[in-house]
């Protein structure tokens, strides 16, 4: 069976066109796969970034709570110190009163002794 040159050329051109179309379709599929992969990677990266942001927010919240606890502790210490200072002042006043009473008793005793000594 003999085939003409034009027929072979026509079949070759059709074959080349089919091959080119197949390669174009493969390229489109590859492009779609790459786009899908890029989108998936972007989505994963976005989720990782969001997770990291949430972790940072939680860490900041913990730090804030620690700072609040520290301030509360300092306030409690200041309150205790204030109460201790008040107690010391009360004790000093009480000590001053006691000393004044002792001095008065001592002075009174001396006065009585002087009174009896001269009478």
């Amino acid at each position: 069976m003999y085939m003409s040159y034009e027929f072979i050329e026509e079949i070759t051109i059709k074959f080349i066109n089919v091959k080119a179309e197949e390669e174009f379709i493969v390229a489109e599929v590859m492009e779609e796969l790459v786009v899908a992969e890029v989108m998936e990677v972007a989505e994963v990266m976005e989720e990782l970034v969001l997770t990291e942001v949430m972790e940072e927010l939680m860490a900041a919240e913990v730090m804030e709570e620690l700072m609040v606890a520290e301030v509360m502790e300092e306030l409690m210490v200041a309150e205790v110190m204030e109460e201790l200072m008040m107690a010391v002042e009360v004790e000093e006043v009480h000590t001053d009163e006691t000393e004044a009473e002792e001095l008065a008793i001592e002075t009174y005793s001396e006065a009585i002794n002087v009174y009896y000594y001269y009478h």
Side-chain angles (χ1 to χ4, degrees):
M1 177 169 172
Y2 174 76
M3 291 191 248
S4 70
Y5 178 75
E6 289 91 22
F7 180 73
I8 292 174
E9 188 177 350
E10 190 179 316
I11 290 175
T12 305
I13 290 172
K14 283 183 181 180
F15 179 76
I16 290 172
N17 285 340
V18 167
K19 273 296 198 190
E21 193 173 323
E22 282 178 3
E23 288 176 7
F24 179 76
I25 291 171
V26 168
E28 269 188 354
V29 168
M30 290 297 289
E31 183 181 336
E32 289 175 7
L33 287 173
V34 168
V35 167
E37 192 173 323
V38 167
M39 291 296 287
E40 188 176 322
V41 168
E43 192 175 310
V44 168
M45 289 298 289
E46 184 180 339
E47 288 175 6
L48 287 173
V49 168
L50 287 174
T51 302
E52 195 172 312
V53 167
M54 289 299 290
E55 285 177 2
E56 290 175 4
L57 285 173
M58 286 171 31
E61 194 173 309
V62 167
M63 288 299 291
E64 185 179 332
E65 289 174 4
L66 287 173
M67 287 170 47
V68 167
E70 194 173 312
V71 168
M72 290 297 291
E73 186 178 326
E74 289 173 4
L75 286 173
M76 286 170 38
V77 167
E79 195 174 306
V80 168
M81 289 298 290
E82 186 178 331
E83 289 176 6
L84 285 173
M85 287 172 45
M86 288 174 61
V88 166
E89 288 174 5
V90 167
E91 188 176 315
E92 287 174 356
V93 169
H94 181 68
T95 302
D96 290 345
E97 288 175 357
T98 304
E99 287 175 3
E101 287 174 2
E102 288 173 359
L103 184 61
I105 290 170
E106 189 178 313
T107 305
Y108 182 73
S109 294
E110 285 180 15
I112 291 175
N113 287 340
V114 168
Y115 176 79
Y116 283 121
Y117 181 76
Y118 288 108
H119 286 91

